[in-house]
Amino acid sequence: MAERHEEDLDELVTERFAAQSLVRPDADAVERAAEAALRPRSLDEFVGQRVVRDQLSLVLQAARRRGRAPDHVLLSGPPGLGKTTLAMIIAAELGASLRVTSGPAIQHAGDLAAVLSSLEEGEVLFLDEIHRLARPAEELLYVAMEDFRVDVVVGKGAGASAIPLALPPFTVVGATTRAGLLPAPLRDRFGFTGHLDFYADDELERVLLRSAGLLDVPLTHQAAHEIASRSRGTPRIANRLLRRVRDWAEVRGDGSLDLAAARAALEVYEVDRRGLDRLDRSVLEALCRRFGGGPVGLTTLAVAVGEEPETVETVAEPFLVREGLVGRTPRGRVALPAAWAHLGLTPPSETGTLFA
Ligand SMILES: Nc1ncnc2c1ncn2[C@@H]1O[C@H](COP(=O)(O)OP(=O)(O)O)[C@@H](O)[C@H]1O
Ligand SMILES: [Mg+2]
């Protein structure tokens, strides 16, 4: 390990990610293109999230009746649950055009000022990953959202002055995976906040059947059920697994996407019946087999599975914790009873185990 060049390491990490990325909730550029075809275009087509959908539908209808731009909308929730899709639907339902940018894409406040000052009346500005906006841009945004004004700075240094520019009414749709990171003054400027939650399996089944229709592949209900149950409550993952099952069906099967095809395909891709992949399982195996269920520190655990601690913490752990398979204690990670059961192992006697 020590004599490896950094580039080699990078490559190694990328390879591992590539091999194990089937159940990661975020998307790369290639996948985003594939996703575009599957996006629902209206609130009626948007599956699940009944509460957010109802509330949003009211906000939009009221705005349409008044003939005015609706309040700014904040969408929060984990990756892959439909935030970008909803932003597009909001614009579509308003018959408005959509401008898209993101927190990380805005390097300087001036970049945001340029976007804002070019907005036309009624436009929807989608600000993805809004929690990653730099502070000066954030402050500019407060004023624009509240007073529909942007102060354009002309000149440099001591001679610089700010010329206020009035903006036409528009709507900001902000999306964030980390609502807690948004400063309160920014959060307060959104008239409506919708929180997206993980989907139930029957909702994912509907997502899958809809996608299969669009892709024109023969997916059976049983297969949809099987794929849904391994999709971690996330439509993006469901759609991705569907594409991989289609690959299998076309190459090794007879083209039909039935239960047998779904099971065989997901076995090839090492996505198990709970939606765990190889990394997830090796973390569980290490915890149970090598460390007797823990507690064990993150770094030690990461070394045991041959990964960076950050990978274990950000890629594998959130889902394992959410599923009640792994617990975090002040003394380290512990395997919970469901972890032993999932691996088909018997936990050591309760007295020997430390559950905090
Ligand atoms: N409620 C839903 N109904 C149908 N498809 C959905 C739904 N939510 C998300 N999807 C699909 O999942 C994929 C990821 O959604 P996206 O809006 O990009 O998620 P986010 O922006 O929250 O990461 C898209 O292809 C989208 O079509
Ligand atoms: Mg998105």
Side-chain angles (χ1 to χ4, degrees):
M1 203 73 165
E3 68 273 21
R4 268 187 183 279
H5 293 297
E6 225 168 288
E7 291 85 340
D8 290 344
L9 266 182
D10 275 353
E11 218 163 85
L12 191 74
V13 170
T14 317
E15 263 171 38
R16 285 213 176 124
F17 266 105
Q20 299 175 335
S21 66
L22 224 52
V23 292
R24 303 282 71 102
D26 35 3
D28 61 20
V30 175
E31 177 160 38
R32 276 197 283 273
E35 280 188 345
L38 300 179
R39 277 189 207 287
R41 311 246 170 243
S42 67
L43 274 185
D44 286 340
E45 272 183 71
F46 193 84
V47 174
Q49 309 291 348
R50 200 179 48 78
V51 176
V52 172
R53 208 152 33 90
D54 271 4
Q55 295 170 341
L56 207 48
S57 155
L58 272 175
V59 170
L60 297 178
Q61 279 184 48
R64 268 201 310 252
R65 275 194 197 190
R66 288 194 288 264
R68 301 239 312 261
D71 276 357
H72 306 299
V73 174
L74 181 65
L75 301 169
S76 74
L81 301 195
K83 298 181 295 298
T84 299
T85 305
L86 274 181
M88 293 178 161
I89 289 175
I90 289 171
E93 300 254 333
L94 291 168
S97 60
L98 181 75
R99 296 283 207 94
V100 179
T101 185
S102 72
I106 292 166
Q107 303 271 340
H108 308 287
D111 299 343
L112 184 60
V115 174
L116 289 168
S117 57
S118 70
L119 286 174
E120 282 169 30
E121 177 158 358
E123 270 192 314
V124 174
L125 174 63
F126 178 46
L127 267 170
D128 206 0
E129 295 186 74
I130 193 169
H131 60 277
R132 292 178 63 190
L133 264 185
R135 194 28 80 80
E138 219 173 71
E139 279 161 14
L140 193 94
L141 186 62
Y142 298 160
V143 179
M145 289 173 74
E146 187 146 303
D147 301 334
F148 294 96
R149 194 191 82 215
V150 62
D151 293 323
V152 182
V153 180
V154 287
K156 275 202 156 74
S161 58
I163 301 175
L165 178 74
L167 302 174
F170 66 96
T171 300
V172 172
V173 176
T176 179
T177 48
R178 315 278 305 273
L181 290 184
L182 278 196
L186 181 54
R187 232 180 310 156
D188 291 346
R189 279 164 174 85
F190 289 96
F192 171 74
T193 299
H195 181 75
L196 302 187
D197 243 317
F198 290 103
Y199 290 68
D201 285 1
D202 63 316
E203 294 170 333
L204 290 179
E205 266 178 69
R206 274 156 56 210
V207 170
L208 284 161
L209 290 166
R210 176 181 172 277
S211 299
L214 291 170
L215 296 171
D216 197 21
V217 292
L219 177 71
T220 68
H221 279 82
Q222 278 182 320
H225 183 80
E226 185 71 21
I227 299 171
S229 68
R230 303 189 193 203
S231 298
R232 300 174 172 232
T234 306
R236 169 171 292 135
I237 297 175
N239 282 337
R240 185 189 296 148
L241 295 182
L242 175 66
R243 290 194 295 271
R244 296 293 78 80
V245 173
R246 176 182 62 173
D247 290 348
W248 190 96
E250 286 171 0
V251 175
R252 300 211 182 143
D254 61 5
S256 56
L257 278 69
D258 55 15
L259 183 59
R263 286 200 173 139
L266 295 172
E267 190 167 327
V268 171
Y269 295 111
E270 303 188 291
V271 176
D272 75 15
R273 63 183 193 283
R274 282 187 86 144
L276 270 57
D277 70 1
R278 184 142 46 97
L279 174 63
D280 301 322
R281 275 192 309 275
S282 51
V283 168
L284 289 189
E285 298 258 355
L287 246 183
C288 294
R289 290 187 200 271
R290 289 193 56 180
F291 302 109
V296 58
L298 175 67
T299 313
T300 312
L301 187 59
V303 169
V305 299
E307 282 292 351
E308 295 297 319
E310 198 196 320
T311 307
V312 172
E313 189 172 28
T314 62
V315 176
E317 203 171 70
F319 183 67
L320 297 175
V321 170
R322 173 160 75 84
E323 287 290 285
L325 293 161
V326 168
R328 291 169 177 233
T329 76
R331 300 182 47 203
R333 275 62 178 171
V334 294
L336 296 176
W340 297 93
H342 187 68
L343 297 177
L345 300 172
T346 318
S349 71
E350 293 292 316
T351 46
T353 335
L354 282 160
F355 293 122

